Structures are given as structure tokens and as C-alpha cells.
Amino acid sequence: MCILLSATASQRQEIRIEYKASTGKEVTADIKSNLNTDFGKVCIALFRTQVEYNAYCLHKAMKGAGTDEDVLIEILCTLNNDEIAELKSVFLKVYGKSLEDRVKSETSGDFRKLLLLVVQGNRSTADVDLGEAAADAKALYKAGEKKKMGTDESVFINIFGTRSLSQLVAIAAEYDKLSKKSLMEAVKSELSGNFERTVIAILQVAFNVSLYYVKILHSSMKGAGTNEFNLTRVIVRTHTTIISTIKVTFKQEYDGSLGSWIVDDTSGDYQAILLALIGGDVDVDPSKIGIGIGGPGIGGGIGGGLDVDKPEGGFGIGGGIGGGLDVDKPKLGGSGGAGIGGGVDVDVPKADLDIGGAIDVEKPKGGIDIGGGIGGGSIDVDAPKVDIGGTGGADIGGGVDVDTPKVGLDIGGSGIGGGIDVDTPKVGLGGIGGVDIGGDVDVVTPKVEPSVEAAADIGGGVDVDVPKAGLDIGGSGIGGGIDIDAPKLGFGGSGGADIGGGVDIDAPKVELGGTGGGDIGGGIDVGVPKVGLDIGGAGIGGGVDVDAPKGGVDIGGSRSGGISVSLPKFGLGGSGKVDVEGEVNLKELDNLDATEKSKRLEIAIKEKDTKILIYILLNASMVQRHEIIIQYKTTTGKDLLGDIESNTDAKLGGMCIALLKTSAEYNAYCLMKAMKGFGTDDGTLIEIICTCTNQEMEETKAVYLKEYGKSLESEVQSEISGDYRKLMMLLLEGNRPNTDADSSKAEADAKALYKAGEKKRFGTDEDVFIDIFASRSYSQIRAIGDEYAKVSKKTLLEAVVSELSGNLQKTVVTIVQVAQNLNQYYAQRLHYSMKGLGTSEKILTRVVVKIHNTVITEVKEIFLQKYNDSLAKWIIDDTSGDYQDILLSLIGEQKS
């Protein structure tokens, strides 16, 4: 990640060439085979040039069954003439076919006409002509609103396919003078389907391209699931150009910053690289970060940036921050410390340390007060006295080697990526800042006193073997381990311990305590005569094993792990809330009734104990889940689904919501989401409507009307158009017969389809296809397929693909696939959700939830045969965390 992000686009191409020359392999191919994750796909995208990436996205959008029209629209409508010319050249070179031919074969109707005009790359570049703008506005009005019957789409195609973007803005202004509607409103009322969406996209790009991208980014993360392909594509395409404007616009349009949405919707390296590409943009509420002494230690780190606008901000952050710190007030870091991996932008009288490369100080006194940035250098200090900092924050990517008589590191938030090797008589680390150390601290001196109220945030380990070590730390975030074998060691102060590793203490007397908050991700193994754990706010992810004669645990918080105590006396108390119950035996939850489970769920949701949440949902029947929903409302007064959605990440929350809904409720919910807001998710409409039985269709329509106040038929009718709409409306009637095949009728239907398609010299009679595929039983469609092979050299499926186009084609293809082998269709959908760049959690979640109680065994077998790898392997490679765990459990697998 560091190499990719620190290199320019041209440098990445040089690396790519050198990699090929030195290894004989493509770096993108190696990444794909060894890192087939969302993070890996971003890396591959960054190794491509912009034009190569655009070509790749278009190729992927048109590859296989169906077409992702949204990708075609986005890319083709946002490129200028020169970019389109370069794109066509690269597409032909890489994929062996012209872009025009591919687009022509994948689209149809007015949508095709407009896209092909755009692909020509002949959009005008002339200055705005107000006279022509007025004439065009009148032509559009006459071709649309004023026209009594229908719309003259050719006028819209010509104007929106050839006029400059600035001219289109002028045309919109002139249109306002002619009509009560805006030009955008007129387009929506006069056009339909993908043609309408393309014209809307062109208008949006003309008015505000940043807002256009913002809507795509928001759509990629809203609701259940994340569309990583869309999210990755927009960020990769814009991160070097207009991402700053996009971030500002996103925050104006939606609740929260783009960075915060990314943090909520993604995780791990994928999250980190996205945040790095957008330059950090994470909302932070200063009131919750720890203003004053002993700020919070956050072990996971923050990949975005902090915007601090309070007089005093104290941040002790364990993982460091990958973005930047924007400080616009007089004082920062006086009583806290930020460990920052990016840059510090300080517009104030006193600046923090933000050091870009390597600093070699060889003078008697070096006072470094620098507002630059560090890239992973090192600080080598060999002078008699060096003072680094003051009240600033050092962000050091390398290592600090200090071998002088006296070195005072007075740092308000030092983020050190290397290690500190201190072997001098006296070393003072801290002040009232925070030490953020990514390496190891090896202290072998007679006396070490790091800080009075410092916030130590240590990513490596601390090895202290001196007679007296006083670590008085206000907010220690320790990612490694502390190995302490000194006679006396005092941990404490006024902060909180954030420990990601383990504390191994074998000294005669150890006192851990104070009034801070302990967040311990590892374990504490204490084997000493007296141990006092005085922790105000302990969130313990591991376990505490205390086997001493006397153990006093003073814990004011709660834990998600377990405490195992094997000693004569164990004292709980102090100044915090006590919630120490030992490790939960999940199987004991099986014995609880719906009321008790609802209570446990409330606690689990509040404490973000996903293990309990997942266990209860997975081990309850649909009836039991329904009872839990009712009891949760009764006992808490709140909606269980709403609480889950607001307190879990989008992927896990989307899965839990799916499990808590009946099949009809979930179908209705997914259909509503598919038609809500900007654009329509036709893939969801087609999948659900084409796989419902007649009874399931009736139940789904009833639920939809009850839940959303409108009939499903009216909603679908308003969202789609043309032959696609005709077919979908027939399917929504739910009248498909369930009869056995009739070979004579199958033969007649096969001949009718052949005559309406292949045999017809010009065009296709779509009505014949619509009638047959909407009204024949699945067994009859299979028989028609057999008969079709007797009258044509093509299979029925091949004939459908060649004769139809767009969403009508996708719908008929789906009906044929479902008729031939429903389980194979589901296997293909699962594969589609995970193949290529990004994962469609919406499809993955929807299909797994739908089939996990019915045909999952058969689908897994087909998946293995068809794709030479198990479904579980694909899920493990493409997902992570709780979402991965719940998927594997639903398909009856586990991570080996």
C-alpha cells in the first residue's frame, strides 16, 4: 500500500514495467492471484492508467450475461472528446474489438443511438451561443411536452449527444422560460428507461460533475450492502482530480462526511486505501475524543482525518491516522496527543511537529517546530541536547536512535512508525502529549520516567528491565506487549489503557490503575503476590487470568471477552460501572425464551457484541425470530431492526435484517430498495420477480402494499418502460401455469419464436417472445428449448441473446435459466456477486438468505463444478469479519 500511494501514476507504470522485466510476470496478475480482495482490486486499479482502467470497467460491464448500463453511462458521459478517442484505441488494443461494436451489441433502441453518438466523441467544444440555446430549448419543448402524442426522441438524442456541456446549461436556462417544468423534470416525464438515465446523467455532469459522482458514491453505500465496484471506480477515477470538491459536496448533501461513510461501510486494508486516496475525511466530535488530559486510546486507528476546531484537543490514538489533521484554533496538543500517519495542517500560532523525511541534528540545541510531513524517514540525534517539539505532535515513520547524555522528547502526540532504542542514563519521554510508537521501546537505564500524564499509544512492545520504571500514562494504547520484570512498576494516571497485545508481569508488586478507561484487546497474565487492577471503563476483548493470592479488579465498564479468576480473594469495585460475568457460554442462550433473548439482544447491540447477536439469529427459526421481534418491542419500546441497522455496519446489519424478515417481507424490502432514489436496480427486479412462484408473488405483492402503501405493480410500471415493462407486468400477475410439458405445443412455440426472431429479415417481433416466456410453465419452456434446437443451429438461449437486447433480454435470459436449472442460476448469481473488482453484498446476501434453508447443498455442488473452487473459498476470499462468519454459517461451512 505504501509503495502504491507514495508513487505517482507515471512511477507506478515504471514499477509495473520493471516488475515485468525482473520477474517475467505482470504485477496485476500476481496481485489478483495472491490478493483477490477488495483491497487487491484497488491495487490493480492503481497499477492501470486511467484510460486502461476506464476500458477495463467498460469491458467488465459488458462481459457475460447481462450489461451493467450504469457503468456505461457513468464512464461515457463523463469523458471529453480526447479521452473518448484514447479510450477507444486502448479498448481495441486490449480486448480485440472496437468499443462501438461492443456497445452496439449490448444495448438497444434510443439508448443505443445516444450512446453510440457519445462514443463518436464529437461533442461540440464551441463557446456558448445563447441564440442556439433558445432554439434548442424550443425544439426540445416541441418534441416533448408540446407534442400531443408521444415524444420525438431523435431531437433529444441529437441535442444531448452533440452539444457542449456549457451549452446544455444554457439550454436548460432557456427551457425555464418556456415551461413550468425544468429541463431535468421534462426529461424525466418525456423519456424512460436507460435512455432517460443517460440524458439525466449528461445534464447532471453539465450542471455539476462533482454532485453527479457524489450521488453514485452515496448510492454505493446506502442501505444494506455496499457496491464496492462503484465505490472503488469513482474514487480511483477522481482521486487525483476533483476529490476535494466531491468531499465538500458529499458533506453538504448527506449526513456525515464521505470518509465517515467509508469507515462505516468498509473495513481493513480496503478501508485504509480508500481513505488514503480521498485524503482523509473522517468526522470527529471533539467532545467525545477526550479534551484535556488522557485522551482515548483507539487501538484500531483511524484512516481518515481529524477536523479539530476546539481550543484544546487531546487525542491518544493507537492505530494512528492515515489522513490529516486540520487544526484551526490557537492550541492543540496541550493535554493530549495525536498519532497521525498523514500530515498535520496547522494554521495556528504554535505548530505541531510533522516531519517529512529524515532529520539529522548535530548541534548543541535543535528546536524543531516544523509544519511539513513525514514519509517514513528517521531521526538520528547525536547532539548533547536536543529538544524536539514543545506542544506539537511528532509524526515519525522511521525510527529514533537516541544515544546522548540527555534527550528530552517533549511531544504532544508522537506517532512513531519505527522503534525507540534508549540506552542513556536519563530519558524523559512525553510531557502532557502522547507517545504513539509503531515499533519497540527497549529501555535499559537505571531510571525511566516516561511522562506524568502522557498518552502512550504503542504499536510494538515495551521491554522494561530496570530497578524502577514509572510508567504513569494517561491513556495508553498498546498494540504489542509489555514485558516487565522490575522490582516495582506503576501503571496509571488519569487516562485509559488500550492494549492490543498482552501484559506479562512477574514483578513483586504491580499496580495497574488510576481512573482512566481500559480497553484491552489481548490478555493480562498476572502471576505476582499482589495485583491491583484499577481500571475506569474496561472494555476487554481478551481475558484476564489472575492467579495471585489477592487480586483487586476495579473495573468501571464492560467486557466482551472473559475474566478467569483462580485466587482466594477477588474484589470488584471502584468508580465505574461493574459488568464482569465471565465468558459467555453461547449455547446457554438456547435455553432462553423470546423475552430473555430480546433482553440479551438489547445488551449485545448496545455493547456491539456481534457474537451474541449472530448466534441468537442463526439459531432461531423464522417463527422464533418473529417472537423475538415482538418481545424486543414490548420490553424495550424500540424496533429491533432499526436498532440493528443503526448500531452495526452495513454488511452485517443488512444480513441480520434479511434473517429477521419473512421471505415475502424481504422480497418486498429488496424491491422497494431497488426502486428507491436515483435510478432503478433492474438486476434485483429481474432476479426476484423471475424466481418467485405464483404464491410467493401474491404474498410479496400483499406485503409490499401493506408496508409501503403502494401496489408493487404501480411502482414497477412507473420505474421501467417499453417491452421490458410489458413482460414484467405480465410476470407480476403471477399466473404462470404449473403444468407438464406438451411436446406438440412446444414445437409450435419453437417455430413461432424462430419466425419472430432469426427468420425475420428485419428486427424482431418482441411480442411473441413476451407472450411465450411470460405464460408458459417452466417444464414447457424446457421442452420449447429442445424443439428450438431442431429448427435452428442456435440454442434457445443463444437466440434470445442475439435477438433481444437490454433489460428485456436480461429478463428472458433469466426465465430460460430458471426454467433449465434454478440451482445453477443461483450459483451463477453468487459467482457474479463476487467476480471481478468489488463485491455486491446485496446480491450475495439476498441469494444466500433465500436458499440457505432449501437448496444450498445443491448450489454448492454446482458452484464447485462450474467454477473449480468452493463457494466457501470464494466467500472467504471476498469478504471478512462478522459478515464472512455469518455467510459461512448460513451455507453450512466454516473457516478452516
Side-chain angles (χ1 to χ4, degrees):
M1 192 194 301
C2 292
I3 292 175
L4 275 175
L5 293 177
S6 62
T8 63
S10 59
Q11 288 171 336
R12 287 196 285 265
Q13 294 311 304
E14 291 173 10
I15 293 169
R16 185 176 168 186
I17 294 167
E18 287 300 319
Y19 191 94
K20 175 77 171 178
S22 60
T23 68
K25 297 180 287 184
E26 288 286 348
V27 64
T28 52
D30 271 7
I31 293 173
K32 184 175 181 180
S33 61
N34 292 286
L35 200 63
N36 188 25
T37 61
D38 293 324
F39 168 68
K41 290 161 188 173
V42 178
C43 294
I44 292 171
L46 292 174
F47 267 118
R48 289 187 165 106
T49 64
Q50 271 290 353
V51 65
E52 286 175 337
Y53 185 59
N54 285 337
Y56 164 78
C57 291
L58 290 172
H59 170 69
K60 174 179 165 60
M62 296 183 283
K63 185 180 179 182
T67 305
D68 189 340
E69 288 89 356
D70 289 335
V71 176
L72 300 189
I73 294 169
E74 176 205 315
I75 294 178
L76 295 177
C77 292
T78 55
L79 298 179
N80 60 39
N81 293 343
D82 292 338
E83 290 168 335
I84 286 177
E86 190 180 7
L87 172 65
K88 290 192 290 185
S89 175
V90 169
F91 195 96
L92 179 62
K93 179 181 177 182
V94 175
Y95 302 110
K97 290 185 179 180
S98 74
L99 179 58
E100 296 95 322
D101 288 345
R102 288 300 307 278
V103 170
K104 188 175 181 180
S105 67
E106 291 291 324
T107 59
S108 63
D110 295 320
F111 175 48
R112 175 199 284 163
K113 291 176 185 177
L114 178 55
L115 277 191
L116 289 175
L117 191 56
V118 171
V119 170
Q120 287 180 15
N122 291 326
R123 189 175 293 282
S124 172
T125 57
D127 294 335
V128 172
D129 186 317
L130 294 179
E132 289 185 4
D136 282 343
K138 290 177 182 177
L140 289 169
Y141 181 68
K142 184 178 178 182
E145 286 188 77
K146 195 174 180 181
K147 198 171 188 292
K148 289 185 178 180
M149 299 291 291
T151 304
D152 186 349
E153 287 87 356
S154 63
V155 175
F156 284 79
I157 292 169
N158 178 53
I159 291 174
F160 285 99
T162 62
R163 305 302 192 262
S164 70
L165 297 181
S166 55
Q167 186 72 13
L168 290 173
V169 174
I171 292 169
E174 293 296 326
Y175 198 91
D176 288 340
K177 300 175 184 178
L178 301 173
S179 172
K180 294 179 181 179
K181 294 181 179 179
S182 68
L183 182 55
M184 185 77 79
E185 291 169 341
V187 167
K188 290 179 180 178
S189 65
E190 294 300 319
L191 308 181
S192 62
N194 290 320
F195 179 42
E196 173 199 330
R197 290 159 66 190
T198 308
V199 175
I200 288 173
I202 292 171
L203 263 180
Q204 289 176 328
V205 169
F207 280 120
N208 188 336
V209 67
S210 296
L211 180 58
Y212 173 72
Y213 283 126
V214 161
K215 289 180 181 296
I216 297 173
L217 288 168
H218 178 254
S219 178
S220 74
M221 295 182 283
K222 74 175 182 178
T226 306
N227 188 324
E228 283 87 0
F229 184 36
N230 287 358
L231 181 59
T232 297
R233 187 179 63 254
V234 173
I235 288 177
V236 168
R237 294 186 68 223
T238 64
H239 77 282
T240 59
T241 52
I242 58 172
I243 194 64
S244 296
T245 308
I246 286 172
K247 290 192 293 182
V248 172
T249 307
F250 193 100
K251 201 163 190 176
Q252 292 169 347
E253 291 292 315
Y254 303 108
D255 182 21
S257 66
L258 174 59
S260 296
W261 274 70
I262 289 172
V263 168
D264 289 343
D265 244 46
T266 63
S267 60
D269 291 332
Y270 179 58
Q271 178 187 100
I273 198 167
L274 289 181
L275 290 170
L277 287 173
I278 71 168
D281 185 32
V282 179
D283 291 328
V284 176
D285 182 354
S287 66
K288 296 180 181 179
I289 298 297
I291 305 302
I293 298 173
I298 304 172
I302 301 173
L306 297 179
D307 183 1
V308 183
D309 54 4
K310 286 208 170 187
E312 295 191 16
F315 301 89
I317 299 175
I321 303 166
L325 189 65
D326 182 6
V327 183
D328 54 3
K329 291 292 179 182
K331 185 176 179 183
L332 174 80
S335 56
I340 304 163
V344 179
D345 180 8
V346 184
D347 306 326
V348 297
K350 276 208 170 186
D352 289 351
L353 268 185
D354 193 332
I355 303 169
I359 298 180
D360 186 359
V361 183
E362 300 178 336
K363 53 187 180 180
K365 182 176 181 181
I368 304 173
D369 193 354
I370 302 173
I374 67 104
S378 61
I379 297 183
D380 183 3
V381 183
D382 54 25
K385 183 177 180 182
V386 180
D387 293 334
I388 300 178
T391 59
D395 195 274
I396 303 169
V400 178
D401 182 5
V402 183
D403 55 359
T404 63
K406 181 178 180 182
V407 178
L409 295 174
D410 192 353
I411 300 170
S414 85
I416 303 172
I420 297 183
D421 182 5
V422 184
D423 55 358
T424 63
K426 182 176 181 182
V427 178
L429 295 173
I432 54 173
V435 182
D436 186 348
I437 303 171
D440 300 320
V441 178
D442 184 6
V443 183
V444 291
T445 64
K447 184 176 181 181
V448 178
E449 297 178 350
S451 179
V452 177
E453 291 175 327
D457 202 318
I458 303 171
V462 178
D463 183 3
V464 183
D465 55 10
V466 299
K468 181 179 180 182
L471 293 172
D472 195 354
I473 300 171
S476 79
I478 303 171
I482 299 183
D483 182 5
I484 302 169
D485 55 349
K488 181 177 181 181
L489 178 73
F491 279 86
S494 60
D498 186 358
I499 303 173
V503 179
D504 182 6
I505 303 173
D506 55 358
K509 182 178 181 182
V510 179
E511 296 177 357
L512 288 116
T515 60
D519 186 352
I520 303 171
I524 298 181
D525 182 4
V526 183
V528 298
K530 181 179 179 183
V531 180
L533 294 173
D534 191 351
I535 301 172
I540 304 172
V544 178
D545 183 4
V546 183
D547 55 15
K550 180 179 180 182
V553 180
D554 191 347
I555 301 176
S558 63
R559 64 98 190 86
S560 56
I563 296 181
S564 171
V565 183
S566 56
L567 58 143
K569 183 177 180 182
F570 188 73
L572 297 175
S575 59
K577 174 186 173 184
V578 179
D579 184 9
V580 180
E581 300 178 2
E583 183 147 4
V584 175
N585 182 353
L586 292 174
K587 289 195 175 295
E588 292 178 358
L589 298 170
D590 295 338
N591 300 321
L592 302 179
D593 60 19
T595 302
E596 289 302 316
K597 284 180 180 177
S598 68
K599 292 178 182 178
R600 295 306 295 266
L601 277 175
E602 183 185 19
I603 296 170
I605 292 169
K606 187 181 297 183
E607 297 183 355
K608 300 191 184 301
D609 189 339
T610 54
K611 286 184 172 56
I612 289 180
L613 171 63
I614 291 169
Y615 186 86
I616 289 177
L617 293 186
L618 288 180
N619 289 277
S621 66
M622 192 66 248
V623 173
Q624 291 169 331
R625 289 176 197 148
H626 185 66
E627 290 174 357
I628 290 170
I629 292 172
I630 295 172
Q631 289 303 319
Y632 191 91
K633 181 73 173 178
T634 302
T635 57
T636 70
K638 296 179 290 184
D639 176 52
L640 175 57
L641 278 71
D643 272 6
I644 290 173
E645 190 169 20
S646 59
N647 288 283
T648 59
D649 66 72
K651 298 176 187 178
L652 177 62
M655 177 63 80
C656 293
I657 288 170
L659 290 172
L660 285 165
K661 290 180 179 290
T662 65
S663 179
E665 287 172 343
Y666 190 54
N667 282 341
Y669 170 79
C670 291
L671 290 169
M672 180 274 294
K673 286 283 187 181
M675 294 183 284
K676 184 179 179 182
F678 179 69
T680 305
D681 184 350
D682 297 293
T684 299
L685 298 189
I686 294 167
E687 177 198 308
I688 294 175
I689 292 172
C690 290
T691 56
C692 276
T693 64
N694 293 342
Q695 181 179 344
E696 288 169 340
M697 182 60 67
E698 289 306 311
E699 291 171 353
T700 298
K701 289 192 293 185
V703 170
Y704 196 98
L705 181 62
K706 178 182 177 182
E707 292 291 325
Y708 308 112
K710 292 183 179 180
S711 74
L712 179 57
E713 297 95 320
S714 65
E715 287 284 87
V716 171
Q717 187 171 22
S718 67
E719 288 288 322
I720 61 178
S721 61
D723 293 321
Y724 170 45
R725 176 163 63 191
K726 289 180 187 176
L727 177 55
M728 292 294 271
M729 297 309 294
L730 286 173
L731 296 176
L732 283 170
E733 291 178 4
N735 292 326
R736 188 181 296 282
N738 190 25
T739 55
D740 294 333
D742 183 316
S743 58
S744 62
K745 288 182 180 180
E747 181 182 359
D749 282 343
K751 289 177 179 178
L753 289 169
Y754 180 70
K755 183 179 178 181
E758 286 188 77
K759 194 175 180 181
K760 200 171 188 289
R761 287 188 178 182
F762 297 103
T764 303
D765 187 348
E766 287 87 356
D767 287 340
V768 174
F769 282 78
I770 291 169
D771 175 58
I772 290 174
F773 286 102
S775 62
R776 306 302 190 262
S777 70
Y778 287 130
S779 57
Q780 187 70 15
I781 291 173
R782 287 194 294 272
I784 292 169
D786 294 336
E787 293 297 326
Y788 196 90
K790 298 175 184 178
V791 298
S792 172
K793 294 179 180 180
K794 294 180 179 179
T795 66
L796 179 58
L797 194 57
E798 290 169 342
V800 167
V801 171
S802 66
E803 294 301 318
L804 306 179
S805 62
N807 288 320
L808 175 63
Q809 178 203 85
K810 290 180 186 177
T811 308
V812 177
V813 166
T814 300
I815 292 169
V816 173
Q817 290 174 331
V818 169
Q820 290 175 343
N821 189 330
L822 177 60
N823 294 337
Q824 182 168 291
Y825 169 74
Y826 284 132
Q828 289 172 338
R829 289 295 283 170
L830 289 169
H831 177 256
Y832 175 79
S833 73
M834 295 181 281
K835 74 173 185 177
L837 189 67
T839 305
S840 175
E841 283 88 6
K842 288 190 294 185
I843 298 175
L844 183 57
T845 297
R846 191 168 62 240
V847 175
V848 168
V849 168
K850 185 162 189 173
I851 67 174
H852 78 281
N853 277 330
T854 53
V855 294
I856 189 62
T857 302
E858 294 85 348
V859 170
K860 287 194 296 182
E861 291 174 359
I862 292 170
F863 194 99
L864 179 62
Q865 294 167 1
K866 194 170 180 64
Y867 304 111
N868 298 318
D869 240 333
S870 68
L871 175 59
K873 174 70 164 51
W874 274 71
I875 289 173
I876 289 167
D877 288 345
D878 244 49
T879 63
S880 60
D882 292 325
Y883 181 64
Q884 179 186 100
D885 292 341
I886 202 168
L887 282 171
L888 291 173
S889 181
L890 287 172
I891 70 168
E893 303 285 350
Q894 59 184 5
K895 196 170 183 177
S896 56

